[in-house]
């Protein structure tokens, strides 16, 4: 059974033929993630079948993702602690004739928003996409107000879905991790009402006034430092990777909530020491329900917050690897069905990259069919070994097909070279399978 059939084995779209088409389409799109739908499909009939599936009003994007959610829950249950990362990305379809789109950051832009919950282990192993909001904004009315449900609700409802899962998995502690937009007292209060079945770790954006009149951040940093940590900040947005050294403070505070009410939280402040000239100091202020009294406990929270970058990698794959903003579909409903499929594809690419780094000696046949890892060798003009190689060996060969140079100081390949290389591998697999079928006898 291929990986797509395994991941969607519980799919139930109300029709056996639709179930088979969902699996086939997921397999097709994952084989050529950078290609358009017609280019990814093998011929006109398969292309028409793909578009009919995406245009089928009997199919919901939730129905497509539901079996992946189930598999993700199984993976989550294997860990003691799992980070539930939340964030929003906007998808820009400006200039395309897709019914149902709405305004983006600029009112004249057209597109929609996607807000998933992305589960990763504390070692940053991608476990899957859990829950998602997808919506198009209503245009502003004559008074400049935007009708419809408040968009900030997605952060609170996102925690509620994590809390529901936490009740189902009592042996796994879930930690809701989100960036500054989630810094809402309503979210913290809702967690308290639910008796906090899942922890929360939020990046603070509000320097709140505390009940004694003092400001939050100055109150925390006026206390004694816990100590320092250092870590390597990965390269991003044209900036080279560099070592960051931070000093840490932590303090339990009571945050005002309504009249004469407070919510108790731990506030952590991490400030960079002596950043390189021209670099923006790395400074984080975090709020959490967890107790953190020692340097080790606070450093763990910092490490968990740093793992939030994994959801940015997922968005990078969705937008730039799968080129989702180039999709040519008629309606927002069809677009959402395609996004559901590409979220699963993107998770798998991220998972392969992470396993290649953290578990390099796993056998490659856990992730690749024999034809696939054979193709990686052949395209690199190497003879395939008799026994399955390791995952890392195959991933490096795949990445080399996508531009990874594999020099001594290059480290491990990133997602971009992997998704480009995968496409070349799958093209070769089709050729191998055709030659096998065409061979006499």
């Amino acid at each position: 059974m291929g990986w797509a059939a395994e991941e969607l084995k519980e799919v139930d779209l109300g029709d056996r033929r639709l179930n088979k088409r969902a699996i086939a389409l997921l397999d097709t799109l994952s084989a050529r993630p950078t290609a358009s739908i017609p280019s990814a499909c093998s011929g006109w009939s398969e292309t028409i079948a793909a578009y009919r599936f995406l245009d089928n009003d009997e199919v919901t994007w939730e129905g497509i993702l539901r079996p992946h959610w189930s598999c993700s829950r199984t993976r989550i249950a294997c860990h003691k602690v799992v980070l539930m990362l939340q964030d929003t990305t906007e998808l820009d379809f400006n200039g395309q004739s897709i019914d149902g789109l709405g305004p983006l950051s600029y009112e004249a832009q057209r597109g929609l928003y996607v807000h998933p919950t992305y589960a990763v282990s504390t070692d940053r192993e991608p476990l899957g996409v859990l829950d998602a909001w997808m919506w198009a904004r209503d245009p502003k009315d004559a008074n400049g107000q935007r009708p419809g449900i408040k968009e900030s609700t997605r952060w609170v409802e996102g925690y509620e879905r994590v809390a529901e899962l936490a009740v189902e998995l009592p042996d796994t502690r879930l930690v809701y991790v989100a960036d500054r937009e989630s810094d809402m007292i309503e979210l913290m209060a809702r967690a308290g009402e639910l008796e906090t079945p899942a922890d929360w770790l939020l990046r603070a954006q509000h320097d709140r006034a505390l009940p004694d009149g003092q400001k939050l951040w100055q109150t925390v940093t006026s206390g004694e430092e816990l100590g320092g940590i250092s870590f390597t900040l990965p390269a991003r947005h044209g900036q080279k990777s560099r070592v960051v050294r931070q000093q840490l403070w932590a303090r339990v505070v009571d945050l005002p909530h309504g009249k004469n009410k407070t919510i108790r939280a731990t506030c952590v402040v991490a400030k960079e020491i002596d950043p390189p000239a021209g670099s923006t100091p790395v400074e984080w202020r975090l709020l959490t329900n967890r107790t953190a009294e020692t340097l080790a406990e606070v450093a763990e929270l910092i490490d968990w917050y740093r793992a939030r970058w994994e959801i940015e990698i997922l968005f990078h794959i969705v937008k730039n690897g799968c080129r989702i903003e180039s999709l040519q579909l008629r309606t927002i409903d069809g677009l959402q069905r395609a996004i559901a499929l590409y979220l699963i594809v993107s998770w798998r690419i991220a998972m392969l990259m992470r396993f290649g780094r953290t578990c390099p000696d796993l056998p490659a046949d856990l992730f690749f069919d024999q034809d696939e890892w054979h193709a990686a060798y052949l395209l690199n003009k190497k003879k395939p070994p008799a026994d399955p190689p390791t995952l890392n060996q195959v991933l490096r060969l795949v990445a080399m097909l996508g531009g990874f140079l594999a020099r001594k100081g290059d480290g491990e390949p990133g997602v971009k070279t992997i998704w480009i290389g995968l496409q070349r591998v799958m093209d070769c697999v089709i050729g191998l399978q055709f030659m096998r079928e065409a061979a006499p006898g």
Side-chain angles (χ1 to χ4, degrees), residues 83-90 114-121 124-133 154-155 176-179 236 304-320 343 346-347 350 353-354 415:
L83 309 178
M84 309 296 284
L85 313 179
Q86 289 214 354
D87 205 355
T88 305
T89 190
E90 67 174 30
V114 180
H115 181 95
T117 301
Y118 187 42
V120 302
S121 72
R124 305 194 186 189
E125 173 193 334
L127 303 175
V129 175
L130 271 295
D131 189 38
W133 268 45
R154 69 190 186 276
W155 299 99
Y176 175 103
V177 182
D179 217 356
R236 60 186 67 166
W304 290 356
Y305 175 73
R306 288 177 54 224
R308 198 202 67 81
W309 186 249
E310 298 301 313
I311 199 168
E312 301 292 350
I313 294 176
L314 181 78
F315 291 155
H316 175 58
I317 300 171
V318 168
K319 297 172 79 169
N320 300 306
L343 282 172
S346 300
W347 156 76
M353 180 195 72
R354 183 59 58 185
V415 289

Side-chain angles (χ1 to χ4, degrees), residues 10-57:
E10 296 182 12
V11 67
D12 183 6
L13 300 175
D15 186 295
R16 183 174 57 84
R17 292 167 298 179
L18 290 175
N19 296 342
K20 290 180 64 177
R21 177 54 57 189
I23 294 170
L25 189 51
L26 179 62
D27 205 25
T28 295
L29 298 180
S30 69
R32 298 177 184 83
T34 65
S36 65
I37 291 175
S39 297
C41 294
S42 300
W44 182 244
S45 61
E46 188 176 334
T47 300
I48 291 298
Y51 280 118
R52 282 177 177 165
F53 177 85
L54 296 174
D55 200 38
N56 191 328
D57 290 336

Side-chain angles (χ1 to χ4, degrees), residues 10 14-15 64 102 107 121 132 141 156 159 175 182 232 234 256 267 273 280:
E10 296 182 12
D15 186 295
I64 293 171
E107 202 69 13
S121 72
D141 60 23
V156 179
Y159 178 84
V175 184
S182 67
T232 299
C267 182
I273 308 164
T280 302

Side-chain angles (χ1 to χ4, degrees), residues 90-94 102-113 137 146:
E90 67 174 30
L91 299 178
D92 186 348
F93 294 93
N94 208 36
L104 297 177
S105 303
Y106 297 100
E107 202 69 13
Q109 286 179 297
R110 310 296 291 172
L112 77 160
Y113 290 86
R137 283 176 169 169
R146 201 181 301 283

Side-chain angles (χ1 to χ4, degrees), residues 171-382:
D171 295 329
T172 300
R173 190 61 181 177
L174 304 183
V175 184
Y176 175 103
V177 182
D179 217 356
R180 281 175 285 209
E181 197 177 348
S182 67
D183 181 12
M184 299 185 298
I185 203 73
E186 295 85 358
L187 190 157
M188 306 173 206
R190 182 59 178 147
E193 292 169 2
L194 297 172
E195 300 182 348
T196 320
D199 292 326
W200 44 267
L201 175 62
L202 317 175
R203 185 171 179 181
Q205 69 169 326
H206 305 298
D207 190 13
R208 294 175 171 85
L210 300 179
D212 60 5
Q214 298 296 312
K215 286 290 190 174
L216 173 61
W217 298 338
Q218 193 277 332
T219 296
V220 175
T221 55
S222 65
E224 185 177 350
E225 298 175 7
L226 282 173
I229 60 171
S230 64
F231 55 86
T232 299
L233 189 70
R236 60 186 67 166
H237 304 313
Q239 298 179 356
K240 294 181 179 179
S241 64
R242 64 182 179 88
V243 174
V244 173
R245 295 187 300 122
Q246 288 181 324
Q247 286 295 117
L248 306 182
W249 292 261
R251 183 166 179 169
V252 175
V253 293
D254 291 315
L255 305 177
H257 173 45
K259 188 175 181 180
N260 301 322
K261 293 193 295 184
T262 60
I263 292 176
R264 179 149 289 191
T266 298
C267 182
V268 171
V269 175
K271 289 186 177 183
E272 185 175 8
I273 308 164
D274 300 325
S279 298
T280 302
V282 178
E283 184 169 339
W284 296 317
R285 304 175 182 96
L286 308 177
L287 291 168
T288 180
N289 67 295
R290 292 180 68 94
T291 301
E293 299 175 344
T294 67
L295 176 61
E297 290 171 334
V298 174
E300 183 176 58
L301 293 176
I302 294 292
D303 192 54
W304 290 356
Y305 175 73
R306 288 177 54 224
R308 198 202 67 81
W309 186 249
E310 298 301 313
I311 199 168
E312 301 292 350
I313 294 176
L314 181 78
F315 291 155
H316 175 58
I317 300 171
V318 168
K319 297 172 79 169
N320 300 306
C322 299
R323 299 175 62 196
I324 208 161
E325 291 167 319
S326 298
L327 289 176
Q328 301 286 333
L329 296 168
R330 293 192 308 109
T331 67
I332 191 173
D333 292 330
L335 202 53
Q336 289 174 332
R337 296 177 194 112
I339 291 169
L341 289 165
Y342 277 116
L343 282 172
I344 304 174
V345 170
S346 300
W347 156 76
R348 182 173 184 260
I349 293 172
M351 180 266 293
L352 288 173
M353 180 195 72
R354 183 59 58 185
F355 268 128
R357 295 179 177 186
T358 59
C359 304
D361 296 327
L362 286 173
D365 58 357
L366 291 177
F367 305 91
F368 294 99
D369 292 338
Q370 185 180 70
D371 281 347
E372 292 170 348
W373 62 262
H374 272 202
Y377 275 87
L378 294 172
L379 288 171
N380 280 282
K381 300 180 181 179
K382 296 177 180 290

